Amino acid sequence: MSKFRARPGLGQLAKCLLLAVCSVSPGLAAAAPWPDHPITLVIPFAPGGSADGLGRILADKMGQKLNQSIIVENRPGAATTIASSFVARAKPDGYTLYIGMMNLHGMDKVLYPGVTYDGIKSFTHINKLVSFPMVVVTRNDSPLKNFTDLIAKAKQEPGRVTHGSAGVGSSNHLAAVEFMRAAGVKLLNVPYKGGNPAAMATIAGDVDISFATPPTVMPLVSAGRIKALGLTSAQPSPLFPGIPSAAQAGLPGYDFQVWHGLYGPAGMDPAIVERLYEVSTAVLKDPEVTEKLRALGMTAEPSASVDEFNKFVRVVAKETAGLAAAAKADEQ
């Protein structure tokens, strides 16, 4: 006769313990649905610029579709590298998103040797959002009327005509670098913490001109506070009536367009990435959003897929190598 006796209730106790472990262990329990708390959308510029205006529209509309708040967080400075570094180090959990642009893809590493992130490897590329030309502006009492006047002045005073920018490698600076290459002139870059401060410096006469984003300066142009010399695009745009294209203003062959994209840290869950792509695309196709963007001088241009945007940024990385070298040389 066996002397072994089962302890009463031991099996039931084991079941209870296993159930308790499953209820608290993330590895055993079902993951919480995303998003279950607010998302942060990082903007690399001060309030008032193109990325900020775009980001606030997206945060509002995407938040409604995701049934979750999206909080805009401005992290300006160092020509977007402060914000980019922050996002590259963030957890890839879908709760940190970013409005980025072309300088992210290799240009930052050329211009800022201390940058440790890689535009391709350190980020998740979700969707292209918008594109737009920039507007070259000057103070109202400036004798400059167009690009022809600007080029003539720059040739008469090499390196003395100043332009305000959001820093080395920013879209403002790159537009100026392309202008200098096309016109064969030298302008002096004066960096600020964003396009809006640069525009204010232009109005105040602290700098001669600024290559500005439409959301930053079009309200000022419409209000008569600042004068537009021309667009950085080769063709005129119906979004900017009365403002000549680069060719019409006196510089044929000059064509510089800016784009913004939606990013996150590298390693995000593909299902979350696809959801963000679908939601951002739906928002960009919303007629109300389209009109809001047009009012800011932007054209909605969502990618056909996440994969297409990934291919796009890799092409950009190759194409901007020459521009990065020119931008670096401009500061030497």
Side-chain angles (χ1 to χ4, degrees):
M1 183 175 178
S2 173
K3 293 182 179 181
F4 176 80
R5 293 182 180 178
R7 296 181 181 178
L10 186 58
Q12 187 64 30
L13 177 61
K15 291 180 181 179
C16 291
L17 287 173
L18 180 60
L19 182 61
V21 170
C22 288
S23 68
V24 298
S25 173
L28 296 175
W34 175 92
D36 66 354
H37 62 270
I39 297 167
T40 297
L41 179 61
V42 178
I43 308 295
F45 300 106
S50 63
D52 182 70
L54 169 64
R56 292 180 189 279
I57 293 172
L58 284 180
D60 178 37
K61 294 299 185 179
M62 287 181 65
Q64 291 178 27
K65 289 185 177 296
L66 292 170
N67 295 313
Q68 187 57 258
S69 298
I70 299 181
I71 301 168
V72 172
E73 183 175 306
N74 297 88
R75 286 181 172 263
T80 77
T81 59
I82 290 175
S84 297
S85 296
F86 172 80
V87 175
R89 295 192 303 266
K91 292 181 180 180
D93 54 9
Y95 291 98
T96 302
L97 302 177
Y98 186 42
I99 301 290
M101 52 199 300
M102 69 178 180
N103 62 291
L104 192 63
H105 301 289
M107 195 169 293
D108 288 349
K109 295 189 79 171
V110 172
L111 298 175
Y112 295 88
V115 164
T116 57
Y117 58 79
D118 182 285
I120 300 297
K121 299 177 182 178
S122 303
F123 299 89
T124 295
H125 314 95
I126 301 168
N127 202 0
K128 186 181 179 185
L129 300 172
V130 298
S131 70
F132 52 91
M134 302 192 78
V135 186
V136 184
V137 293
T138 189
R139 66 185 186 278
N140 281 334
D141 62 354
S142 168
L144 304 176
K145 296 182 178 63
N146 48 42
F147 289 176
T148 300
D149 292 344
L150 174 58
I151 293 168
K153 181 176 176 62
K155 287 183 176 180
Q156 291 170 1
E157 305 173 25
R160 295 183 61 187
V161 177
T162 55
H163 73 93
S165 78
V168 178
S170 66
S171 58
N172 322 81
H173 180 226
L174 297 177
V177 169
E178 279 288 88
F179 183 94
M180 289 187 284
R181 292 207 294 182
V185 297
K186 172 67 176 176
L187 305 174
L188 179 61
N189 180 34
V190 181
Y192 292 86
K193 283 192 174 182
N196 195 50
M200 293 300 103
T202 306
I203 291 176
D206 296 330
V207 292
D208 294 307
I209 61 169
S210 177
F211 292 75
T213 61
T216 300
V217 295
M218 287 311 296
L220 300 173
V221 172
S222 298
R225 296 184 60 195
I226 201 168
K227 179 169 60 176
L229 301 179
L231 300 174
T232 64
S233 56
Q235 300 296 326
S237 170
L239 300 182
F240 308 98
I243 301 180
S245 67
Q248 292 170 333
L251 188 55
Y254 176 50
D255 187 18
F256 184 88
Q257 305 252 4
V258 180
W259 57 268
H260 289 315
L262 183 63
Y263 297 78
M268 288 177 60
D269 185 330
I272 293 178
V273 174
E274 189 61 32
R275 177 66 176 143
L276 285 167
Y277 167 78
E278 291 172 353
V279 169
S280 59
T281 298
V283 166
L284 291 171
K285 291 182 177 180
D286 182 332
E288 179 186 351
V289 171
T290 300
E291 284 306 308
K292 285 184 177 180
L293 293 175
R294 287 175 63 86
L296 293 175
M298 301 180 186
T299 301
E301 288 187 1
S303 300
S305 65
V306 174
D307 183 59
E308 185 189 76
F309 185 50
N310 274 268
K311 291 177 181 177
F312 171 77
V313 297
R314 282 162 173 77
V315 170
V316 168
K318 293 179 181 179
E319 291 181 345
T320 55
L323 184 56
K328 185 174 183 178
D330 179 50
E331 294 306 301
Q332 295 176 345

